[in-house]
Amino acid sequence: MDKKYWVPALDKANDILLAISGQPSKLKLIDLSKQLGINKSSMFSLLNTMEQLEWVVRDAEGTYSLGSKLGFIGNSFFKQFSLIERFRKEASITKHKIQETIQLARLERHEVLYLAKEEMPSPVRLASEPGMKLPAHVTALGKALLADLETSVIESLFPDEVLQPCPTPHTLKNRSDLITQLELSREHGVAFDLQEAVMGFCCVAAPVRDTQGQVIAAISCSMFQHEWEQKRELAQREICALAARLSHSSV
């Protein structure tokens, strides 16, 4: 990354926001200073400015949480995507048919950006939340999105033959294997994650296309492996049908 015009203060503010978002109402100034390696006087100035901007809020105990301005900005970010509103309406029907949570995402280079989620009540909650990113090669969503790209583009996004990270023993480890899977996904219109992102979970995804036929997003549902054996055909059929209904929307 070219840092010729880098602003260090913004970089530090970003680190602070990420730390607070990971532990809301848990970290005090001294905790943030030690965790991020920023001296206390600089941390005080940064937090004071961010508090005035309503980026963070200092609680009564002196701990910090994210401020209302970030909620407004985040909400505005997701409002950019007109597809999300339609997804919520359509996926709310599909999730009851499959009895599983449905997710919507788009591709950002070699990562998947989660845009929305229609969740079914479950004792185990999927960790992927709107705004979160995961490596595209470990997810069904990512494969459904990557399958629309030329092999040369895939090679530029994944310049090394060895793929990283590999969160489970089932994760694809080589770019050549990924390209082979993408060819199958392109041919059949669906992509799978068979315990590749999280052990014990399987997933099916399908692409959403615009009026020119370009893939603009993808949808998926994930479930426990033992449920996958029972619901695989149903899930694939319903996810493909939902993707077809959502296609031709703009994002």
Side-chain angles (χ1 to χ4, degrees):
M1 182 183 295
D2 183 6
K3 292 192 174 183
K4 181 179 179 181
Y5 302 107
W6 199 256
V7 181
L10 287 178
D11 193 25
K12 292 177 181 178
N14 181 65
D15 290 342
I16 293 169
L17 291 174
L18 290 175
I20 292 173
S21 68
Q23 295 180 275
S25 300
K26 298 290 185 183
L27 301 173
K28 296 183 179 182
L29 184 152
I30 188 65
D31 301 318
L32 289 163
S33 178
K34 290 179 179 178
Q35 182 174 318
L36 300 176
I38 301 172
N39 67 61
K40 288 188 287 184
S41 61
S42 296
M43 181 63 72
F44 175 82
S45 297
L46 286 163
L47 287 171
N48 184 64
T49 302
M50 294 164 74
E51 194 173 356
Q52 296 299 316
L53 293 171
E54 299 179 359
W55 290 8
V56 300
V57 174
R58 185 159 57 93
D59 306 319
E61 296 78 12
T63 57
Y64 288 86
S65 56
L66 298 181
S68 59
K69 186 65 65 67
L70 291 185
F72 173 79
I73 293 171
N75 186 53
S76 298
F77 171 78
F78 286 108
K79 280 185 176 179
Q80 297 178 91
F81 308 104
S82 59
L83 179 61
I84 291 178
E85 184 177 351
R86 190 172 177 195
F87 165 80
R88 295 194 188 284
K89 179 181 178 181
E90 295 286 351
S92 65
I93 299 171
T94 301
K95 73 178 182 181
H96 288 290
K97 292 182 179 179
I98 310 176
Q99 290 293 299
E100 300 292 346
T101 296
I102 313 294
Q103 300 176 104
L104 173 72
R106 73 171 187 179
L107 189 66
E108 290 203 344
R109 291 189 54 75
H110 61 281
E111 294 180 310
V112 167
L113 170 65
Y114 288 85
L115 299 175
K117 177 164 68 172
E118 277 296 311
E119 200 159 27
M120 283 295 292
S122 170
V124 178
R125 195 165 187 265
L126 294 177
S128 51
E129 298 290 344
M132 183 177 176
K133 291 182 180 181
L134 285 178
H137 72 278
V138 310
T139 66
L141 281 166
K143 293 175 193 174
L145 292 160
L146 291 170
D148 192 52
L149 304 178
E150 298 288 341
T151 299
S152 59
V153 179
I154 300 298
E155 291 173 342
S156 67
L157 291 175
F158 301 93
D160 299 322
E161 173 62 18
V162 177
L163 298 174
Q164 292 291 343
C166 290
T168 83
H170 303 285
T171 306
L172 291 174
K173 296 175 175 60
N174 301 310
R175 185 180 62 187
S176 55
D177 292 336
L178 173 62
I179 291 173
T180 298
Q181 275 208 15
L182 295 181
E183 290 172 353
L184 292 172
S185 295
R186 193 177 302 119
E187 180 181 350
H188 298 291
V190 289
F192 300 100
D193 155 18
L194 304 179
Q195 301 189 83
E196 295 167 55
V198 180
M199 283 296 295
F201 279 86
C202 296
C203 181
V204 58
V208 177
R209 300 178 183 274
D210 62 15
T211 53
Q212 283 75 47
Q214 298 297 310
V215 172
I216 54 173
I219 55 167
S220 73
C221 72
S222 300
M223 63 193 74
F224 287 114
Q225 184 185 13
H226 67 272
E227 293 177 329
W228 176 253
E229 302 303 326
Q230 304 168 16
K231 295 184 180 181
R232 177 173 182 156
E233 292 185 7
L234 170 66
Q236 181 173 332
R237 182 171 64 249
E238 291 297 333
I239 287 297
C240 287
L242 175 58
R245 295 198 301 274
L246 292 175
S247 289
H248 314 311
S249 299
S250 58
V251 68

